[in-house]
Amino acid sequence: MSENKNAKAIKTDSAEGKSEKKNKGKKNIHAGHRQRVYDAISKDPLMETFSEVETLEFLLYSMYPRRDTNALAHLLLERFGSMVGIFSASADDLMKLSGISQRTAMFLKSFPAIARKSQLLRVKSKSIKDMNSALDYIKLHFDYCYTEVMYVMCLDVKNRLLGVDCVTAKGTPTSNVISVPAIVESALHHHASKVILAHNHPTGIVIPSIEDINTTDLLIDTLAALDVVLVDHLIFTGDSQYLSFFNSGLIRMLYQNFDCIHKTNMSSFLFVEKERKLSSGIEYIFDMETATIVKKSEFDAYVTGRIE
């Protein structure tokens, strides 16, 4: 009996030894994976050839120095649909996913904010001296912003940037309560000659609401008493669409109404402002005869149809 046990033991040891040799002979397909990713990024710094899952996998390297993050990246994308969905999710929702700690959740939440701040500093460092660059700068404030917020941009008489302040009294994904005193305080603090109001519609609907138009009208009246011109009110969405009250003609209508009521000539600034437009997006035009806002690319066809 003892000899049989010894024979079995020798046979088992021999089998395990063969198995170890066999495994050692196998090539680990994951070996050097991270180095290959780093090499790929050195050749493609903008990561244009990277898929969404590959980009997220690399991002998670910072949180998991030794863990395979590919599976976790797939899990996150399956749960939240896209990187945008991941970044816009709450920390609590992220932590409900197996493998996501509070530390990782906070990292994912902070990453877009850090990228946004970097962009703002980069653009501002180029010295904003004209209306075009000012508009491009304010647009960056709404990147990765998933609740409705409002900013006021203060400019001097030559359209040079004096400061940008958040003037949102209360923001939710679908509504915004504007603090008129905060806008006035910002204009006075920066000694502004002109201001641009800007807010976002996270719902993706760029058309201004009645409240948007009425608030703009109220601010024209309020700021005029301080000898400050409200040059524009901009509405941004998360998909690169925008509406400019100036370019659409809404500002013209509101200032002409103001001049009629107060017997002033505030609308004269409209004729000295240089033509301007944002670097990207879809423009709209306000048809004063029908009080309708139409895409610029469709305006001619709209007018033709209205006349017919």
Side-chain angles (χ1 to χ4, degrees):
M1 182 72 74
S2 177
E3 288 179 2
N4 287 339
K5 283 183 179 180
N6 289 337
K8 282 183 180 180
I10 292 169
K11 189 175 181 181
T12 302
D13 290 343
S14 176
E16 287 178 353
K18 287 180 181 178
S19 178
E20 285 178 8
K21 287 180 181 178
K22 189 176 180 182
N23 287 336
K24 284 180 181 178
K26 278 187 177 180
K27 187 177 180 180
N28 184 356
I29 60 172
H30 298 293
H33 173 68
R34 290 200 177 190
Q35 187 57 53
R36 288 193 292 273
V37 172
Y38 297 143
D39 292 341
I41 292 176
S42 67
K43 295 175 183 177
D44 180 17
L46 296 179
M47 303 178 75
E48 292 180 332
T49 59
F50 280 54
S51 67
E52 197 168 22
V53 70
E54 288 170 334
T55 305
L56 186 57
E57 176 189 3
F58 170 72
L59 184 61
L60 290 168
Y61 283 176
S62 299
M63 293 291 100
Y64 303 98
R66 295 179 179 84
R67 177 178 171 180
D68 174 17
T69 59
N70 183 271
L72 188 56
H74 276 287
L75 201 62
L76 281 163
L77 289 170
E78 286 171 10
R79 170 64 179 83
F80 298 103
S82 65
M83 287 181 68
V84 173
I86 294 167
F87 293 145
S88 60
S90 68
D92 288 339
D93 284 341
L94 288 169
M95 287 188 290
K96 289 176 183 176
L97 206 62
S98 177
I100 300 296
S101 63
Q102 183 182 33
R103 178 169 167 263
T104 302
M106 295 310 297
F107 172 76
L108 290 171
K109 291 295 296 177
S110 66
F111 187 78
I114 294 169
R116 171 180 173 272
K117 194 172 188 68
S118 174
Q119 278 287 83
L120 285 168
L121 292 171
R122 181 183 65 82
V123 174
K124 191 175 182 181
S125 68
K126 292 184 177 180
S127 298
I128 297 172
K129 294 181 179 179
D130 56 44
M131 190 65 73
N132 251 332
S133 55
L135 292 170
D136 287 337
Y137 177 64
I138 195 65
K139 182 179 183 294
L140 292 172
H141 285 71
F142 299 99
D143 287 348
Y144 306 108
C145 191
Y146 307 108
T147 58
E148 191 166 324
V149 293
M150 177 165 284
Y151 289 90
V152 59
M153 173 180 275
C154 297
L155 309 168
D156 67 10
V157 70
K158 293 183 178 179
N159 293 330
R160 290 174 298 199
L161 179 66
L162 299 172
V164 177
D165 294 318
C166 181
V167 289
T168 305
K170 180 182 178 183
T172 71
T174 56
S175 65
N176 180 47
V177 179
I178 302 166
S179 173
V180 174
I183 295 171
V184 171
E185 182 181 351
S186 177
L188 291 174
H189 173 73
H190 294 291
H191 304 287
S193 296
K194 303 176 182 180
V195 298
I196 294 174
L197 205 60
H199 79 283
N200 61 330
H201 284 177
T203 55
I205 300 172
V206 74
I207 304 300
S209 64
I210 295 299
E211 289 77 12
D212 292 333
I213 296 173
N214 288 342
T215 298
T216 308
D217 194 26
L218 171 63
L219 283 167
I220 285 174
D221 200 345
T222 304
L223 292 169
L226 305 173
D227 200 23
V228 177
V229 176
L230 177 61
V231 177
D232 205 347
H233 185 168
L234 299 160
I235 299 174
F236 296 102
T237 65
D239 55 359
S240 296
Q241 292 193 64
Y242 74 92
L243 180 135
S244 159
F245 275 46
F246 182 96
N247 288 341
S248 68
L250 274 166
I251 281 288
R252 181 184 296 274
M253 179 197 73
L254 294 174
Y255 267 103
Q256 286 175 344
N257 288 344
F258 179 88
D259 285 343
C260 286
I261 294 170
H262 298 282
K263 309 301 181 186
T264 58
N265 192 30
M266 286 288 290
S267 59
S268 60
F269 86 92
L270 293 162
F271 303 103
V272 297
E273 286 287 333
K274 293 181 180 179
E275 184 181 351
R276 56 183 173 79
K277 58 179 67 176
L278 293 181
S279 57
S280 63
I282 301 173
E283 282 196 90
Y284 290 79
I285 293 177
F286 180 73
D287 179 14
M288 285 184 280
E289 291 189 28
T290 61
T292 304
I293 296 174
V294 186
K295 284 184 181 180
K296 188 174 182 179
S297 58
E298 301 171 1
F299 189 72
D300 290 341
Y302 165 78
V303 172
T304 302
R306 178 166 57 76
I307 293 173
E308 292 174 353

Short mmCIF file of all heavy atoms in Angstrom, two decimals, residues 32 35 69 73 82 84 92 98 104 120 122-123 132 146-148 152 156 159 171 180 188 214 220 226 241 246 305:
data_model
loop_
_atom_site.label_atom_id
_atom_site.label_comp_id
_atom_site.label_asym_id
_atom_site.label_seq_id
_atom_site.Cartn_x
_atom_site.Cartn_y
_atom_site.Cartn_z
N GLY A 32 3.29 43.09 -21.41
CA GLY A 32 3.71 44.29 -22.14
C GLY A 32 2.57 45.10 -22.74
O GLY A 32 2.82 46.00 -23.55
N GLN A 35 2.71 48.88 -21.96
CA GLN A 35 3.79 49.53 -22.69
C GLN A 35 3.41 49.76 -24.14
O GLN A 35 3.74 50.78 -24.73
CB GLN A 35 5.07 48.68 -22.60
CG GLN A 35 6.30 49.38 -23.19
CD GLN A 35 6.57 50.72 -22.54
OE1 GLN A 35 6.67 50.81 -21.31
NE2 GLN A 35 6.70 51.78 -23.33
N THR A 69 -7.56 46.90 -16.75
CA THR A 69 -8.69 47.85 -16.71
C THR A 69 -9.61 47.72 -17.92
O THR A 69 -10.62 48.41 -17.99
CB THR A 69 -8.15 49.29 -16.64
OG1 THR A 69 -7.32 49.53 -17.78
CG2 THR A 69 -7.36 49.51 -15.37
N ALA A 73 -13.48 48.95 -18.06
CA ALA A 73 -13.88 49.95 -19.05
C ALA A 73 -15.12 49.47 -19.79
O ALA A 73 -16.08 50.24 -20.01
CB ALA A 73 -12.74 50.21 -20.03
N SER A 82 -21.72 55.59 -22.66
CA SER A 82 -20.63 56.31 -23.32
C SER A 82 -19.77 56.99 -22.26
O SER A 82 -20.14 57.02 -21.07
CB SER A 82 -21.18 57.37 -24.28
OG SER A 82 -21.86 58.39 -23.55
N VAL A 84 -19.36 60.14 -22.08
CA VAL A 84 -20.16 61.29 -21.64
C VAL A 84 -21.12 60.87 -20.55
O VAL A 84 -21.30 61.57 -19.54
CB VAL A 84 -20.93 61.90 -22.84
CG1 VAL A 84 -21.89 62.99 -22.36
CG2 VAL A 84 -19.97 62.48 -23.86
N ASP A 92 -22.33 58.49 -6.67
CA ASP A 92 -23.07 57.39 -6.04
C ASP A 92 -23.43 56.31 -7.07
O ASP A 92 -23.31 55.11 -6.80
CB ASP A 92 -24.34 57.90 -5.37
CG ASP A 92 -24.04 58.69 -4.10
OD1 ASP A 92 -22.93 58.51 -3.54
OD2 ASP A 92 -24.89 59.49 -3.67
N SER A 98 -19.64 47.27 -9.56
CA SER A 98 -18.61 46.46 -8.91
C SER A 98 -17.22 46.87 -9.39
O SER A 98 -16.97 46.95 -10.59
CB SER A 98 -18.85 44.98 -9.25
OG SER A 98 -17.83 44.18 -8.69
N THR A 104 -12.04 56.12 -7.19
CA THR A 104 -12.16 56.04 -8.66
C THR A 104 -13.32 56.90 -9.16
O THR A 104 -13.21 57.58 -10.18
CB THR A 104 -12.37 54.59 -9.10
OG1 THR A 104 -11.27 53.80 -8.64
CG2 THR A 104 -12.45 54.49 -10.62
N LEU A 120 -9.79 76.52 -20.53
CA LEU A 120 -10.09 77.92 -20.22
C LEU A 120 -8.82 78.73 -20.04
O LEU A 120 -8.69 79.84 -20.54
CB LEU A 120 -10.95 78.00 -18.95
CG LEU A 120 -12.42 77.60 -19.09
CD1 LEU A 120 -13.07 77.45 -17.73
CD2 LEU A 120 -13.18 78.62 -19.94
N ARG A 122 -5.89 77.99 -21.23
CA ARG A 122 -5.16 78.05 -22.50
C ARG A 122 -5.70 79.15 -23.39
O ARG A 122 -4.94 79.93 -23.98
CB ARG A 122 -5.27 76.70 -23.23
CG ARG A 122 -4.51 76.64 -24.55
CD ARG A 122 -4.73 75.31 -25.24
NE ARG A 122 -6.11 75.13 -25.63
CZ ARG A 122 -6.65 75.65 -26.74
NH1 ARG A 122 -5.92 76.41 -27.55
NH2 ARG A 122 -7.91 75.43 -27.04
N VAL A 123 -7.03 79.24 -23.50
CA VAL A 123 -7.65 80.25 -24.36
C VAL A 123 -7.44 81.65 -23.79
O VAL A 123 -7.09 82.59 -24.50
CB VAL A 123 -9.16 79.97 -24.55
CG1 VAL A 123 -9.82 81.10 -25.32
CG2 VAL A 123 -9.35 78.65 -25.29
N ASN A 132 -14.98 88.03 -31.13
CA ASN A 132 -14.92 86.64 -31.55
C ASN A 132 -14.26 85.75 -30.52
O ASN A 132 -14.77 84.70 -30.15
CB ASN A 132 -14.16 86.53 -32.88
CG ASN A 132 -15.09 86.20 -34.04
OD1 ASN A 132 -16.12 85.57 -33.83
ND2 ASN A 132 -14.72 86.62 -35.21
N TYR A 146 -23.83 69.72 -16.97
CA TYR A 146 -25.06 68.95 -17.16
C TYR A 146 -26.25 69.53 -16.41
O TYR A 146 -27.32 68.94 -16.40
CB TYR A 146 -24.81 67.50 -16.71
CG TYR A 146 -23.60 66.89 -17.40
CD1 TYR A 146 -22.42 66.67 -16.71
CD2 TYR A 146 -23.63 66.61 -18.77
CE1 TYR A 146 -21.31 66.14 -17.34
CE2 TYR A 146 -22.52 66.08 -19.41
CZ TYR A 146 -21.36 65.84 -18.69
OH TYR A 146 -20.26 65.33 -19.32
N THR A 147 -26.06 70.68 -15.77
CA THR A 147 -27.18 71.42 -15.19
C THR A 147 -27.17 72.81 -15.80
O THR A 147 -26.15 73.27 -16.30
CB THR A 147 -27.06 71.53 -13.66
OG1 THR A 147 -25.83 72.17 -13.33
CG2 THR A 147 -27.14 70.16 -13.01
N GLU A 148 -28.30 73.48 -15.74
CA GLU A 148 -28.40 74.80 -16.37
C GLU A 148 -27.71 75.85 -15.50
O GLU A 148 -28.03 76.00 -14.31
CB GLU A 148 -29.86 75.17 -16.59
CG GLU A 148 -30.04 76.39 -17.48
CD GLU A 148 -31.47 76.54 -17.97
OE1 GLU A 148 -32.12 75.52 -18.24
OE2 GLU A 148 -31.93 77.70 -18.07
N VAL A 152 -22.03 85.73 -16.82
CA VAL A 152 -22.02 87.06 -17.41
C VAL A 152 -20.56 87.39 -17.72
O VAL A 152 -19.68 87.21 -16.89
CB VAL A 152 -22.66 88.12 -16.49
CG1 VAL A 152 -21.95 88.21 -15.15
CG2 VAL A 152 -22.67 89.48 -17.18
N ASP A 156 -14.83 95.75 -21.77
CA ASP A 156 -14.69 97.21 -21.79
C ASP A 156 -15.20 97.73 -23.12
O ASP A 156 -15.73 96.98 -23.95
CB ASP A 156 -13.24 97.63 -21.52
CG ASP A 156 -12.27 97.24 -22.64
OD1 ASP A 156 -12.73 96.81 -23.72
OD2 ASP A 156 -11.05 97.36 -22.43
N ASN A 159 -14.22 95.89 -26.27
CA ASN A 159 -14.53 94.45 -26.25
C ASN A 159 -13.44 93.58 -25.63
O ASN A 159 -13.36 92.38 -25.87
CB ASN A 159 -14.81 93.93 -27.68
CG ASN A 159 -16.08 94.51 -28.26
OD1 ASN A 159 -17.01 94.82 -27.52
ND2 ASN A 159 -16.12 94.68 -29.56
N GLY A 171 -29.82 76.22 -10.18
CA GLY A 171 -29.79 75.51 -11.46
C GLY A 171 -30.24 74.06 -11.31
O GLY A 171 -29.93 73.39 -10.34
N VAL A 180 -30.68 88.73 -11.09
CA VAL A 180 -30.44 90.04 -11.71
C VAL A 180 -29.49 90.88 -10.87
O VAL A 180 -28.57 91.50 -11.40
CB VAL A 180 -31.77 90.78 -11.97
CG1 VAL A 180 -31.51 92.19 -12.48
CG2 VAL A 180 -32.62 90.00 -12.98
N LEU A 188 -20.81 96.13 -12.28
CA LEU A 188 -20.25 97.25 -11.51
C LEU A 188 -18.85 96.92 -10.98
O LEU A 188 -17.96 97.76 -10.99
CB LEU A 188 -21.18 97.59 -10.35
CG LEU A 188 -22.54 98.22 -10.73
CD1 LEU A 188 -23.41 98.36 -9.50
CD2 LEU A 188 -22.33 99.56 -11.41
N ASN A 214 -37.87 87.49 -21.82
CA ASN A 214 -38.31 88.49 -20.84
C ASN A 214 -37.17 88.92 -19.92
O ASN A 214 -37.04 90.10 -19.57
CB ASN A 214 -39.46 87.94 -20.00
CG ASN A 214 -40.76 87.83 -20.79
OD1 ASN A 214 -40.89 88.46 -21.85
ND2 ASN A 214 -41.69 87.04 -20.31
N ILE A 220 -31.78 94.56 -20.18
CA ILE A 220 -31.48 95.71 -21.04
C ILE A 220 -31.89 96.99 -20.32
O ILE A 220 -31.14 97.98 -20.27
CB ILE A 220 -32.21 95.59 -22.40
CG1 ILE A 220 -31.51 94.54 -23.26
CG2 ILE A 220 -32.26 96.94 -23.12
CD1 ILE A 220 -32.24 94.24 -24.57
N LEU A 226 -27.32 101.99 -15.82
CA LEU A 226 -25.92 102.05 -15.38
C LEU A 226 -24.99 102.41 -16.53
O LEU A 226 -23.77 102.37 -16.38
CB LEU A 226 -25.50 100.70 -14.79
CG LEU A 226 -26.38 100.15 -13.66
CD1 LEU A 226 -25.94 98.73 -13.31
CD2 LEU A 226 -26.29 101.05 -12.44
N GLN A 241 -24.66 73.21 -30.72
CA GLN A 241 -25.61 74.19 -31.23
C GLN A 241 -25.59 75.41 -30.33
O GLN A 241 -25.26 75.33 -29.15
CB GLN A 241 -27.03 73.61 -31.27
CG GLN A 241 -27.22 72.50 -32.29
CD GLN A 241 -28.69 72.21 -32.50
OE1 GLN A 241 -29.45 73.04 -32.97
NE2 GLN A 241 -29.10 71.01 -32.15
N PHE A 246 -27.95 88.40 -30.59
CA PHE A 246 -27.44 89.44 -31.49
C PHE A 246 -27.56 89.00 -32.95
O PHE A 246 -28.12 89.71 -33.78
CB PHE A 246 -25.97 89.73 -31.15
CG PHE A 246 -25.35 90.83 -31.98
CD1 PHE A 246 -25.30 92.13 -31.50
CD2 PHE A 246 -24.81 90.58 -33.23
CE1 PHE A 246 -24.74 93.15 -32.25
CE2 PHE A 246 -24.24 91.58 -33.98
CZ PHE A 246 -24.19 92.88 -33.50
N GLY A 305 -41.88 80.47 -48.22
CA GLY A 305 -43.12 79.76 -47.89
C GLY A 305 -44.11 80.65 -47.20
O GLY A 305 -45.32 80.55 -47.42
#
